[in-house]
Amino acid sequence: MFGLLAGLLASVMTFGVARLVGEPALDAAIALEVADSHAHAADTPNHPDAVGMSRRLQAGPGLFVGLAAIGAALGGILAISFAVARGRFLHGSTRATVGWITALGFAAVIVVPMLKFPGNPPAVGNSETIGARTLAYFAFLALSLATLGFAVSAVKGVPSRHRKMLIGAAIYAGVMTGAAIVLPSFHEVDPAFPGDVLWQFRASTLAVQATLWASTAIVFCWLVGRYGQSV
């Protein structure tokens, strides 16, 4: 219960960050896409209002509902992971345990997959490769989580904390580096696409995700510390 509540509360803060840094980057990318489509459309007078109305819904209620759903799911997974890891794999305080779970999860779910398959704004991409790109991304994500679980289990019996960290990191880095080499890459960004818009979009996406993960962990720690150890 604490996990779900933490995720929902964190989604409120994340919504503010998404509106502040995420939506301007997305709007800039969409503006380029709309301008390009208008250059080839004959009935452009009817498009701006529909697009504007759609964006208002997406950037308001749609964005909040989506973040709330993701936050609740993330909080639930954090609570389950905390209950499993505490005393078995991690023996520190509640704050340290949650911090490690969040840091490792964020790296495996967000950062590492993003390094291999960086997000692209709506105006970038090839519709013919969307199936292959989606399959490759989820395969890489699943392998990342499986490798993280294997690495944590493999170093469970190592007595030295520093050796445990080094061995676990080496296992994870080795497997994921090999996977990144084997899996196909998709370079579909047009050289003419504005670089500042592209990197602003990617940086804002990472910032929104970091806010959701960090705030969920902070609120979860506070709830557990304030109301007891039950999750």
Side-chain angles (χ1 to χ4, degrees):
M1 179 178 177
F2 286 168
L4 297 177
L5 181 58
L8 289 173
L9 293 176
S11 67
V12 177
M13 180 184 300
T14 307
F15 177 74
V17 174
R19 290 283 295 175
L20 182 65
V21 302
E23 289 304 312
L26 184 57
D27 284 339
I30 290 176
L32 292 173
E33 183 181 34
V34 171
D36 182 67
S37 65
H38 281 183
H40 302 283
D43 55 344
T44 55
N46 293 327
H47 288 311
D49 291 339
V51 171
M53 177 61 72
S54 176
R55 283 297 298 140
R56 283 195 292 271
L57 291 174
Q58 292 174 1
L63 176 62
F64 181 76
V65 171
L67 286 173
I70 296 172
L74 176 61
I77 294 172
L78 174 60
I80 294 172
S81 301
F82 175 74
V84 172
R86 182 179 54 182
R88 295 180 179 87
F89 300 98
L90 299 171
H91 304 280
S93 64
T94 295
R95 188 174 300 177
T97 300
V98 173
W100 274 110
I101 292 172
T102 304
L104 293 174
F106 183 72
V109 176
I110 303 298
V111 177
V112 173
M114 185 176 287
L115 291 175
K116 173 62 178 177
F117 300 105
N120 290 325
V124 176
N126 184 350
S127 59
E128 296 180 357
T129 63
I130 187 170
R133 283 186 284 122
T134 302
L135 180 61
Y137 172 80
F138 280 107
F140 193 75
L141 175 60
L143 181 61
S144 178
L145 288 171
T147 304
L148 175 62
F150 173 75
V152 171
S153 300
V155 301
K156 182 180 179 182
V158 178
S160 171
R161 180 179 179 182
H162 295 292
R163 287 185 61 193
K164 183 181 297 187
M165 293 172 60
L166 289 174
I167 295 173
I171 292 173
Y172 180 82
V175 173
M176 296 313 298
T177 299
I181 295 173
V182 171
L183 286 174
S185 298
F186 301 89
H187 304 288
E188 300 180 338
V189 180
D190 191 325
F193 190 86
D196 57 338
V197 175
L198 177 64
W199 289 107
Q200 182 185 7
F201 175 84
R202 291 176 176 174
S204 64
T205 299
L206 184 61
V208 171
Q209 290 289 348
T211 301
L212 181 61
W213 283 69
S215 54
T216 298
I218 291 171
V219 176
F220 180 77
C221 283
W222 180 80
L223 289 172
V224 172
R226 177 70 174 81
Y227 296 105
Q229 296 297 314
S230 173
V231 295

